[in-house]
Amino acid sequence: MSTALYQTTMAAIGKKVPEKLQPLWKHPAGPQTIFFWAPAFKWGLVLAGLSDLQRPAEQLSISQSAALGLTGTIWTRYSLAITPKNWSLFSVNLFVAFTAIYQISRALRYTYYP
């Protein structure tokens, strides 16, 4: 039932998408798929990591940052192994990994070189 509703909704929206944007709309990793929306929402993790740059290093969690860095690294690799290649997923996970690794370096510098 929900699949039919989703397909009807996407068909109605698709008719209103400008001709120039139709290739993006119809792309296998386009806005009609989870391949588009999951990376779009994951940018929230990047924004949270960037906002943590203002946080004092003693308040950073090394284990949390390590988990984010590891998952960011794994999913960065995975995004290039799947078909279609998902460059949006690649970029967001690369940024997640970089921000987490930077936070780990800040926390370790604070811990070992006060």
Side-chain angles (χ1 to χ4, degrees), residues 82-102:
I82 60 174
T83 302
K85 286 191 179 6
N86 193 333
W87 294 104
S88 176
L89 185 64
F90 171 82
S91 63
V92 72
N93 281 299
L94 188 64
F95 276 89
V96 167
F98 282 160
T99 55
I101 290 167
Y102 182 72

Side-chain angles (χ1 to χ4, degrees), residues 42-114:
K42 198 167 187 180
W43 280 104
L45 289 175
V46 175
L47 294 175
L50 292 175
S51 70
D52 280 349
L53 294 175
Q54 305 301 317
R55 182 180 290 198
E58 66 268 13
Q59 294 180 354
L60 296 174
S61 168
I62 293 175
S63 59
Q64 178 181 350
S65 295
L68 280 171
L70 186 61
T71 58
T73 303
I74 291 168
W75 282 98
T76 297
R77 170 63 182 106
Y78 176 74
S79 66
L80 297 179
I82 60 174
T83 302
K85 286 191 179 6
N86 193 333
W87 294 104
S88 176
L89 185 64
F90 171 82
S91 63
V92 72
N93 281 299
L94 188 64
F95 276 89
V96 167
F98 282 160
T99 55
I101 290 167
Y102 182 72
Q103 296 294 42
I104 291 169
S105 70
R106 286 183 58 219
L108 290 176
R109 274 193 308 244
Y110 173 79
T111 303
Y112 294 108
Y113 304 107

